[in-house]
Amino acid sequence: MEVAANCSLRVKRPLLDPRFEGYKLSLEPLPCYQLELDAAVAEVKLRDDQYTLEHMHAFGMYNYLHCDSWYQDSVYYIDNLGRVMNLTVMLDTALGKPREVFRLPTDLTACDNRLCASVHFTSSTWVTLSDGTGRLYLIGTDTNKYEIIKHDILRGKSVPHYAAIEPDGKGLMIVSYKSFTFVHVGQDLEENKNETMSEKIKEPLYYWQQTEDDLTVTVRLPEGSSKEDIQVQFLPEHINIVLKGQRFLEGNLYSSIDQESSTWIIKENNSLEIFLTKKNEGLTWPELVVGDKQGEFIRDSAQCAAIAERLMHLTSEELNPNPDKEKPPCNAQELEECDIFFEESSSLCRFDGSTLKTTHVVNLGSNQYLFSVIVDPKEMPCFCLRHDVDALLWQPHSSKQEDMWEHIATFNALGYVQASKRDKKFFACAPNYSYAALCECLRRVFIYRQPTPMSTVLYNRKEGRQVGQVAKQQVASLETNDPILGFQATNERLFVLTTKNLFLIKVNTEN
């Protein structure tokens, strides 16, 4: 039996800047253009029964704006009329409305269980298009014909962060926090049916959240449950929940609670809410019951705000901060609350296209996945991971078996910066690494430029050294109250898609 090779990502030390001090807020204006859409974007909204974190990853955080990496500054989206719309920027002062380039023959609005439609520019001459209803279109711009010669099913228990086929078609790479396996189409149907039933993604047994003082556990009760059917026993370091005579949850708590102050109630929506008071106030619990994986943690907004306040030193609110003010470089050895990851450790896997077996595995640990970007359209997309305080960009090379992932760029302190944005939705960066960008769910876009040489001589008066480079932060506020649905970056511009508008922010104003 072949065993996948355990690999690691090799960081290039010359690309790291341990003395990076933070971003200086720049008030330089960013030209922004707004285009009104003829029809709304074909958005898939969450139904009432789609309330899990996986549903949010699959639908709520989906990027509806697609960039043609073969032609800079050309973006696409699909509207609710089934039209594939394109905007290609030629001149900043002569922006036309998005134009229709293809129309799906299916009525998207008539399908209740559809997925998000997507577009992928496989080469400079053809495109793959999924309408979200199970149909895949191959659209060519030349006279070549294409056919599907192989069909395999890849099944997993989580929404993958990253998935890409190698340029030669001989392999597949996936970043996810739960494992994926291939299912052969030719297998016995009954066997597949039974396997599918056993591999269905299980709903969490309970949901829990916490503040500095207490914890709240929510359990969905069976229909017809009453107060007499529920027994909850609180001990200083133990909890026992029994529903209708069956043990529901029992085990040692992560830390001590005040059992006298802890209580429970039945809500009107047929759910059980349990309130636990922490003995050690301020302690962050990474898990509720030691060793139990049946629950799902929900971050508390107040906790995120506290983390954001602690990380504000990385993004200056002043145009010219006082050089004497003590602002130490980012220390990779100091960990804060944002370093605690409550989901399982992610992994990067490479599958062989012929055998469908896993050939390489990288345990990413706390290297949180941030985003992906196509730097070279002839290569696989790069993926960006958090490493300590920074964000590192990795380029996969399928041809290099011994050194398959290359560290090609570093975005200083972006790991901490993104943790301070509690309403963040999309990440992106320029293909030439000149800047990284982040947008919130509504309105605001943050741009973090790589350090550039100073046009004037500036000295750090405290240390007596000349400051040769400065990294800038810029903020753009969009004139809309609609949620942001898409976000793409090129070397020259940022494209932001909302339900009814497409915004263009010119990032490179030197040209």
Side-chain angles (χ1 to χ4, degrees), residues 71 76 101-102 119-129 136-147:
Y71 301 98
Y76 295 77
V101 294
F102 185 78
V119 182
H120 179 66
F121 299 87
T122 311
S123 75
S124 60
T125 57
W126 68 287
V127 179
T128 53
L129 168 64
L136 182 68
Y137 301 86
L138 302 179
I139 307 170
T141 57
D142 55 16
T143 58
N144 293 334
K145 293 184 178 181
Y146 303 92
E147 62 177 343

Side-chain angles (χ1 to χ4, degrees), residues 150 152 169-172 182 184 350-357 359:
K150 192 175 183 181
D152 293 297
K170 294 182 179 180
L172 170 71
F182 271 101
H184 293 278
R350 191 258 180 190
F351 294 88
D352 183 84
S354 300
T355 64
L356 306 183
K357 301 292 186 181
T359 60

Side-chain angles (χ1 to χ4, degrees), residues 219 221-222 229-231 241-248 272:
V219 178
L221 296 173
D229 299 324
I230 302 169
Q231 295 177 357
I241 305 173
V242 177
L243 298 180
K244 292 187 175 182
Q246 301 292 323
R247 186 173 62 184
F248 181 83
L272 169 66

Side-chain angles (χ1 to χ4, degrees), residues 238-307:
H238 193 89
I239 189 171
N240 184 22
I241 305 173
V242 177
L243 298 180
K244 292 187 175 182
Q246 301 292 323
R247 186 173 62 184
F248 181 83
L249 178 65
E250 182 181 11
N252 293 326
L253 297 168
Y254 176 78
S255 186
S256 301
I257 61 170
D258 183 351
Q259 64 187 96
E260 300 299 329
S261 302
S262 300
T263 184
W264 60 272
I265 61 171
I266 298 179
K267 304 283 285 187
E268 293 180 357
N269 60 355
N270 203 39
S271 66
L272 169 66
E273 283 202 359
I274 302 171
F275 304 97
L276 306 175
T277 304
K278 294 180 179 179
K279 269 281 184 64
N280 301 318
E281 296 180 2
L283 175 66
T284 300
W285 290 26
E287 57 184 344
L288 180 68
V289 176
V290 177
D292 184 78
K293 303 294 184 182
Q294 302 175 89
E296 182 174 307
F297 175 76
I298 301 173
R299 283 190 182 274
D300 182 79
S301 59
Q303 184 185 32
C304 294
I307 294 173

Side-chain angles (χ1 to χ4, degrees), residues 182-469:
F182 271 101
V183 176
H184 293 278
V185 177
Q187 286 179 334
D188 182 77
L189 293 179
E190 284 300 318
E191 180 183 337
N192 270 346
K193 183 178 178 181
N194 295 334
E195 184 181 347
T196 302
M197 293 299 292
S198 64
E199 288 194 359
K200 270 191 173 179
I201 300 175
K202 296 180 179 179
E203 296 293 336
L205 196 63
Y206 58 89
Y207 296 87
W208 67 286
Q209 55 185 346
Q210 65 179 312
T211 66
E212 290 190 351
D213 305 320
D214 52 44
L215 304 101
T216 303
V217 184
T218 303
V219 178
R220 177 170 290 187
L221 296 173
E223 290 293 333
S225 298
S226 63
K227 187 175 182 180
E228 290 71 26
D229 299 324
I230 302 169
Q231 295 177 357
V232 181
Q233 181 184 22
F234 300 114
L235 295 175
E237 297 182 351
H238 193 89
I239 189 171
N240 184 22
I241 305 173
V242 177
L243 298 180
K244 292 187 175 182
Q246 301 292 323
R247 186 173 62 184
F248 181 83
L249 178 65
E250 182 181 11
N252 293 326
L253 297 168
Y254 176 78
S255 186
S256 301
I257 61 170
D258 183 351
Q259 64 187 96
E260 300 299 329
S261 302
S262 300
T263 184
W264 60 272
I265 61 171
I266 298 179
K267 304 283 285 187
E268 293 180 357
N269 60 355
N270 203 39
S271 66
L272 169 66
E273 283 202 359
I274 302 171
F275 304 97
L276 306 175
T277 304
K278 294 180 179 179
K279 269 281 184 64
N280 301 318
E281 296 180 2
L283 175 66
T284 300
W285 290 26
E287 57 184 344
L288 180 68
V289 176
V290 177
D292 184 78
K293 303 294 184 182
Q294 302 175 89
E296 182 174 307
F297 175 76
I298 301 173
R299 283 190 182 274
D300 182 79
S301 59
Q303 184 185 32
C304 294
I307 294 173
E309 186 176 349
R310 294 187 62 180
L311 301 179
M312 285 305 294
H313 69 277
L314 290 172
T315 53
S316 172
E317 297 296 335
E318 305 170 14
L319 182 59
N320 294 305
N322 182 358
D324 293 332
K325 188 177 180 180
E326 207 170 308
K327 195 174 288 187
C330 303
N331 188 348
Q333 306 304 318
E334 293 181 1
L335 301 181
E336 303 195 32
E337 285 94 335
C338 60
D339 295 289
I340 300 176
F341 297 97
F342 292 92
E343 65 181 18
E344 298 174 39
S345 175
S346 297
S347 62
L348 166 62
C349 297
R350 191 258 180 190
F351 294 88
D352 183 84
S354 300
T355 64
L356 306 183
K357 301 292 186 181
T358 306
T359 60
H360 299 73
V361 176
V362 179
N363 183 6
L364 299 180
S366 61
N367 299 136
Q368 180 187 9
Y369 175 87
L370 299 179
F371 63 90
S372 64
V373 60
I374 298 178
V375 171
D376 182 353
K378 295 179 182 179
E379 295 282 351
M380 301 174 70
C382 300
F383 53 85
C384 190
L385 304 176
R386 177 179 172 178
H387 284 247
D388 295 322
V389 300
D390 299 325
L392 274 54
L393 197 63
W394 299 88
Q395 174 67 68
H397 296 294
S398 57
S399 58
K400 300 178 181 179
Q401 293 296 314
E402 299 301 322
D403 194 12
M404 197 169 285
W405 300 282
E406 180 187 3
H407 173 202
I408 59 173
T410 299
F411 297 103
N412 297 304
L414 196 64
Y416 269 2
V417 167
Q418 63 88 23
S420 72
K421 309 297 182 187
R422 56 177 174 170
D423 294 325
K424 62 181 178 291
K425 188 165 187 182
F426 296 122
F427 261 117
C429 76
N432 63 1
Y433 336 129
S434 58
Y435 70 91
L438 177 154
C439 77
E440 295 182 336
C441 297
L442 288 173
R443 200 173 298 114
R444 291 202 298 176
V445 175
F446 298 86
I447 298 169
Y448 300 93
R449 297 183 182 273
Q450 293 279 39
T452 54
M454 295 287 296
S455 57
T456 58
V457 178
L458 182 67
Y459 286 91
N460 184 309
R461 288 185 299 216
K462 187 174 183 66
E463 298 182 7
R465 60 180 175 85
Q466 181 176 342
V467 179
Q469 294 183 321

